[in-house]
């Protein structure tokens, strides 16, 4: 039997990989590729079937969402988080999987047939689904026909370019509207810190502003290149050009220092340039009249939570963690605070149990809960939420006629607003089962534990054991999850 384009060989090799011949390894590689693709197809099918099972609201208070494009079925919003927990992913990741699966099945059937056969990379087909999502179900047929002819034989970048072109061709008006919408999607974002304490600053801005920023960075880099022994070069080494531009970009955060640097290295003779604003001279005179304290107020203000042990602080060794930045070696904390006026607030004693009588959380209590839990405690939620971006929820609902001290570290958990709404209306329950430890139960009985170690699945028996523990006793399971440790 000769293998066709849709019948890849699946050899059965008795010997292990270490003993396989070159020919056998090639065949095994092909089989492994095909198996991995089909496993991803199975994930897409499961996601689509979950959407079908939850394609109708239970009542008037059960919201429906449309993850996919026009023509793809709706799904109950509250059903998505539970499926995400079973997949051990964040709900946004699972929603994207469901959306792509529904679009491929209902909007791109020709492409889906090739995906199901294992003849292309599923991630490329999913990318096409995302690109074509704004199109109507009638218009998207153009994309489906063109991509289905190319996706099995062309490189992913070529397939994506074809999809992009066909999206424009299928509906120029929608494309123009999307282009106008994207024009307002400007942003500046900062990545988490890498293992060496560096971060990426990414911005989407107008071409004109980008050119001016680039020019300013280049000018500052040129000035710094003439000062090899300046404070910005403590190692007295020659920086390459890209490194100098990175250092120059940091000067933008220090406007007073930046102005002085530019003034010290600029020929100020001659008339005012044509491009200069009318208020230029007045602004310079105003800056000259400011006191040092007034000038320092031009610097931005920020509040940072720094997690560091007393030993690491005293010995200047080890690792600290800055929320929103990430881990950084303790000796390099000066790189973060070196150009700032630092005000150190009282250190939080996380072992202390704070309580309040009112429904509202005092700011100090919020700090305590936030640092105890480490962030949003929804299962598999990334620790990227900020303290100001979460609700501080009462694990046991607040009772206006109940006893005092209901608000506290013993009964509080930070949740993003959407996660808070899912917990309140979606049939999800959670319990505080220890200091910073929360046990979640889904509508279909999945049990998950969230704590400082992340999110882990529990059996129903383990869940009941934790819930049945006497007050003040915490239950810990061994890594093998077959033994129990009790801690007061």
């Amino acid at each position: 039997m000769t293998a066709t384009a849709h019948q890849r060989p699946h050899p059965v090799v008795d010997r292990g990989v270490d003993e396989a011949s070159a020919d056998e390894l090639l065949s095994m590689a092909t089989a492994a590729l095909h198996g991995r693709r089909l496993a991803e197809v199975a994930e897409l099918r499961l996601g689509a079937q979950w959407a079908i099972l939850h394609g109708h609201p239970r009542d008037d208070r059960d919201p429906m969402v449309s993850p996919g494009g026009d023509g793809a079925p709706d799904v109950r919003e509250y059903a998505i988080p539970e499926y995400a927990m079973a997949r051990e992913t964040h709900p946004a990741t699972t929603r994207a999987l469901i959306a792509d699966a529904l679009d491929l099945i209902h909007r791109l059937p020709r492409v889906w047939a090739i995906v199901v056969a294992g003849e292309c990379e599923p991630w490329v087909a999913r990318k096409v689904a995302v690109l074509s999502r704004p199109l109507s179900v009638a218009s998207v047929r153009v994309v489906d026909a063109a991509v289905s002819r190319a996706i099995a034989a062309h490189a992913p970048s070529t397939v994506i370019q074809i999809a992009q072109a066909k999206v424009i061709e299928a509906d120029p008006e929608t494309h123009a509207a999307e282009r106008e919408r994207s024009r307002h999607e400007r942003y500046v974002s900062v990545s988490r810190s890498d293992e060496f304490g560096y971060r990426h600053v990414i911005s989407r801005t107008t071409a004109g502003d980008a050119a001016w920023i680039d020019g300013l960075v280049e000018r500052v880099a040129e000035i710094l290149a003439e000062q090899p022994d300046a404070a910005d070069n403590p190692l007295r080494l020659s920086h390459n050009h890209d490194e100098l531009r990175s250092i120059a970009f940091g000067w933008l955060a220090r406007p007073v220092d930046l102005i002085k640097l530019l003034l010290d290295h600029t020929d100020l003779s001659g008339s005012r340039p044509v491009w200069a604003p009318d208020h230029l001279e007045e602004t310079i005179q105003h800056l000259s009249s400011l006191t040092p304290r007034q000038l320092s107020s031009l610097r931005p203000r920020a509040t940072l939570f720094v997690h560091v042990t007393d030993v690491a602080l005293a010995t200047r060794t080890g690792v600290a963690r800055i929320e929103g930045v990430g881990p950084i070696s303790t000796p390099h904390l000066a790189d973060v605070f070196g150009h700032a006026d630092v005000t150190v607030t009282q250190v939080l004693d996380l072992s202390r149990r704070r309580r309040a009588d009112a429904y509202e959380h005092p700011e100090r209590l919020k700090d305590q809960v936030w640092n105890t839990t480490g962030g949003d405690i929804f299962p598999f939620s990334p620790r990227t939420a900020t303290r100001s971006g979460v609700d501080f929820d009462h694990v046991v609902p607040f009772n206006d006629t109940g006893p005092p001290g209901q608000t506290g570290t013993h009964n509080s958990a930070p949740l993003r607003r959407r996660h808070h709404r899912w917990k309140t209306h979606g049939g999800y329950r959670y319990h505080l089962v220890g200091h910073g430890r929360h046990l979640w139960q889904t509508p279909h009985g999945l049990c998950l534990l969230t704590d400082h170690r992340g999110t882990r699945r529990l059996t129903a028996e383990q869940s009941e054991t934790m819930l049945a523990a006497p007050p003040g006793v915490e239950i810990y399971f061994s890594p093998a999850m077959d033994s129990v440790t009790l801690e007061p």
Side-chain angles (χ1 to χ4, degrees), residues 10-33:
H10 294 273
V12 177
V13 181
D14 294 331
R15 293 179 298 175
V17 174
D18 294 339
E19 300 177 353
S21 66
D23 289 342
E24 289 171 335
L25 285 173
L26 292 175
S27 296
M28 293 167 72
T30 301
L33 169 72

Side-chain angles (χ1 to χ4, degrees), residues 245-383:
R245 282 176 57 87
S246 174
I247 296 172
F249 186 81
W251 279 72
L252 302 185
R254 309 193 299 275
V256 176
D257 298 336
L258 176 62
I259 291 173
K260 183 180 185 305
L261 181 75
L262 293 173
L263 290 176
D264 289 346
H265 295 82
T266 302
D267 183 5
L268 301 179
S269 62
S271 59
R272 178 169 62 89
V274 176
W275 55 263
D278 295 336
H279 61 75
L280 179 62
E281 294 181 4
E282 180 182 347
T283 300
I284 293 176
Q285 292 176 358
H286 181 60
L287 286 172
S288 301
S289 65
L290 294 178
T291 66
R293 178 173 292 278
Q294 290 172 325
L295 285 171
S296 66
S297 66
L298 296 176
R299 293 178 175 176
R301 296 178 179 273
T303 299
L304 296 177
F305 287 106
V306 181
H307 300 260
V308 61
T309 66
D310 54 349
V311 175
L313 202 58
T315 61
R316 297 185 180 182
T317 60
V319 178
R321 180 172 62 87
I322 304 176
E323 290 190 14
V325 176
I328 186 172
S329 62
T330 303
H332 291 135
L333 283 174
D335 294 341
V336 178
F337 306 118
H339 297 284
D341 295 325
V342 178
T343 300
V344 179
T345 58
Q346 180 182 354
V347 175
L348 288 173
D349 181 3
L350 298 184
S351 64
R352 181 180 177 185
R353 304 297 193 263
R354 297 177 181 270
R355 291 175 180 261
D357 296 335
Y359 173 81
E360 295 77 15
H361 286 66
E363 292 301 312
R364 197 64 178 169
L365 176 57
K366 288 182 180 179
D367 290 343
Q368 186 86 9
V369 173
W370 179 254
N371 285 279
T372 299
T373 58
D376 186 344
I377 55 91
F378 195 82
F380 299 106
S381 180
R383 299 297 176 146

Side-chain angles (χ1 to χ4, degrees), residues 64-70 72-77 80 95 99 102 133:
M64 304 294 291
V65 293
S66 303
D70 177 46
D74 294 342
V75 61
R76 291 180 56 241
E77 179 186 352
I80 295 176
R95 177 181 169 129
L102 294 177
R133 189 156 295 151

Side-chain angles (χ1 to χ4, degrees), residues 21 46 49 80 146 149 195 235 262 268 302 310 312 327 350 365 428 432 441 448 474 485:
S21 66
L46 289 171
Q49 185 62 25
I80 295 176
R149 291 192 295 267
E195 65 270 30
L235 299 180
L262 293 173
L268 301 179
D310 54 349
L350 298 184
L365 176 57
Y428 298 86
L432 192 64
Q441 295 174 308
L448 304 100
E474 298 184 17
T485 301

Side-chain angles (χ1 to χ4, degrees), residues 27-92:
S27 296
M28 293 167 72
T30 301
L33 169 72
H34 198 245
R36 191 258 301 163
R37 288 177 174 176
L38 294 182
E40 294 183 36
V41 170
E43 275 204 300
L44 290 167
R45 278 178 159 159
L46 289 171
Q49 185 62 25
W50 182 260
I52 292 173
L53 289 179
H54 298 85
H56 301 282
R58 293 181 174 178
D59 51 47
D60 294 339
R61 300 184 63 183
D62 193 12
M64 304 294 291
V65 293
S66 303
D70 177 46
D74 294 342
V75 61
R76 291 180 56 241
E77 179 186 352
Y78 297 148
I80 295 176
E82 184 173 17
Y83 193 62
M85 293 179 193
R87 296 184 66 242
E88 300 184 1
T89 64
H90 187 265

